[in-house]
Coordinates of all heavy atoms in Angstrom, one line a residue:
R1 N 0.9 -1.2 0.0 CA 0.0 0.0 0.0 C 0.9 1.2 0.0 O 1.9 1.3 0.7 CB -0.9 0.0 1.2 CG -2.1 -1.0 1.1 CD -3.0 -0.7 -0.1 NE -4.0 -1.7 -0.3 CZ -3.9 -2.7 -1.2 NH1 -2.7 -2.8 -1.9 NH2 -4.8 -3.6 -1.4
I2 N 0.5 2.2 -0.8 CA 1.4 3.4 -1.0 C 0.5 4.7 -0.8 O -0.6 4.8 -1.4 CB 2.0 3.4 -2.4 CG1 2.8 2.2 -2.7 CG2 2.8 4.7 -2.7 CD1 3.4 2.0 -4.1
G3 N 1.0 5.6 0.0 CA 0.2 6.8 0.3 C 0.3 7.9 -0.7 O 0.9 7.7 -1.9
K4 N -0.1 9.1 -0.3 CA -0.2 10.3 -1.2 C 1.1 11.1 -1.1 O 1.8 11.1 -0.1 CB -1.4 11.1 -0.9 CG -2.7 10.4 -1.1 CD -3.9 11.3 -0.7 CE -5.2 10.7 -0.9 NZ -6.3 11.5 -0.5
N5 N 1.4 11.8 -2.2 CA 2.5 12.8 -2.2 C 3.8 12.2 -1.8 O 4.6 12.8 -1.0 CB 2.2 14.0 -1.3 CG 3.1 15.2 -1.6 OD1 3.4 15.5 -2.7 ND2 3.5 15.9 -0.5
T6 N 4.0 11.0 -2.2 CA 5.2 10.2 -1.9 C 6.1 10.0 -3.1 O 5.6 10.0 -4.3 CB 4.8 8.8 -1.3 OG1 4.4 8.9 0.0 CG2 5.9 7.8 -1.4
F7 N 7.4 10.0 -2.9 CA 8.4 9.9 -4.0 C 9.2 8.6 -3.8 O 9.8 8.5 -2.7 CB 9.2 11.1 -4.2 CG 10.3 10.9 -5.3 CD1 10.0 11.0 -6.6 CD2 11.6 10.7 -4.9 CE1 10.9 10.8 -7.6 CE2 12.6 10.6 -5.9 CZ 12.3 10.6 -7.2
I8 N 9.2 7.7 -4.8 CA 10.0 6.5 -4.7 C 11.0 6.5 -5.9 O 10.6 6.5 -7.0 CB 9.2 5.2 -4.7 CG1 8.2 5.3 -3.6 CG2 10.0 4.0 -4.7 CD1 7.2 4.1 -3.6
N9 N 12.3 6.6 -5.6 CA 13.3 6.7 -6.7 C 13.6 5.3 -7.3 O 13.0 4.3 -6.9 CB 14.6 7.3 -6.1 CG 15.3 8.2 -7.1 OD1 15.4 7.9 -8.3 ND2 15.8 9.3 -6.6
H10 N 14.5 5.3 -8.2 CA 14.8 4.1 -9.0 C 15.2 2.9 -8.2 O 15.8 3.0 -7.2 CB 16.0 4.4 -10.0 CG 15.8 5.5 -10.9 ND1 15.0 5.4 -12.0 CD2 16.3 6.8 -10.9 CE1 15.0 6.5 -12.7 NE2 15.7 7.4 -12.1
A11 N 14.8 1.7 -8.7 CA 15.2 0.4 -8.2 C 14.8 0.1 -6.8 O 15.6 -0.6 -6.0 CB 16.8 0.3 -8.4
C12 N 13.7 0.6 -6.4 CA 13.1 0.2 -5.0 C 12.7 -1.3 -5.1 O 12.0 -1.7 -6.1 CB 12.0 1.1 -4.6 SG 11.2 0.6 -3.0
S13 N 13.0 -2.1 -4.1 CA 12.6 -3.5 -4.1 C 11.7 -3.7 -2.9 O 12.1 -3.4 -1.7 CB 13.8 -4.4 -4.0 OG 13.4 -5.7 -3.9
C14 N 10.4 -4.1 -3.2 CA 9.5 -4.4 -2.1 C 9.2 -5.9 -2.1 O 8.5 -6.4 -2.9 CB 8.1 -3.7 -2.3 SG 8.2 -1.9 -1.9
V15 N 9.8 -6.6 -1.1 CA 9.5 -8.0 -0.9 C 8.4 -8.1 0.1 O 8.5 -7.9 1.3 CB 10.8 -8.7 -0.3 CG1 10.6 -10.2 -0.2 CG2 12.0 -8.4 -1.2
D16 N 7.2 -8.2 -0.5 CA 6.0 -7.8 0.2 C 5.0 -8.9 0.7 O 3.9 -8.6 1.1 CB 5.2 -6.8 -0.6 CG 4.5 -7.5 -1.8 OD1 5.2 -8.0 -2.7 OD2 3.2 -7.5 -1.9
M17 N 5.4 -10.2 0.7 CA 4.5 -11.2 1.2 C 4.0 -10.9 2.6 O 2.9 -11.3 3.0 CB 5.0 -12.6 1.0 CG 5.1 -13.0 -0.4 SD 5.5 -14.8 -0.6 CE 5.7 -14.9 -2.4
G18 N 4.9 -10.3 3.4 CA 4.6 -10.0 4.8 C 3.9 -8.6 5.0 O 3.6 -8.3 6.1
G19 N 3.8 -7.9 3.9 CA 3.1 -6.6 3.9 C 4.1 -5.5 4.0 O 5.0 -5.4 4.8
V20 N 3.9 -4.5 3.0 CA 4.7 -3.3 3.0 C 3.7 -2.1 2.9 O 3.0 -2.0 1.9 CB 5.7 -3.2 1.8 CG1 6.4 -1.9 1.8 CG2 6.7 -4.3 2.0
T21 N 3.7 -1.2 3.9 CA 2.9 0.0 3.8 C 3.8 1.2 3.8 O 4.6 1.4 4.7 CB 2.0 0.0 5.1 OG1 1.1 -1.1 5.0 CG2 1.1 1.3 5.0
I22 N 3.6 2.1 2.8 CA 4.3 3.3 2.7 C 3.4 4.5 2.8 O 2.3 4.5 2.1 CB 5.0 3.4 1.3 CG1 6.0 2.2 1.1 CG2 5.8 4.7 1.1 CD1 6.5 2.0 -0.3
G23 N 3.6 5.4 3.8 CA 2.7 6.4 4.1 C 2.7 7.6 3.2 O 3.1 7.5 2.0
N24 N 2.2 8.7 3.7 CA 2.1 9.9 2.9 C 3.3 10.8 3.1 O 4.0 10.7 4.1 CB 0.9 10.8 3.4 CG -0.4 10.0 3.2 OD1 -0.7 9.4 2.3 ND2 -1.3 10.1 4.3

């Protein structure tokens, strides 16, 4: 899950079976 007004630069890796939450 990804929030608002967020910036994610190149080559981010989300290994997410356990859940990844990125806020605002």
Side-chain angles (χ1 to χ4, degrees):
R1 287 296 174 264
I2 301 173
K4 298 179 179 180
N5 197 37
T6 282
F7 175 73
I8 301 174
N9 214 320
H10 300 284
C12 179
S13 181
C14 282
V15 183
D16 72 296
M17 287 190 188
V20 173
T21 299
I22 300 169
N24 302 317

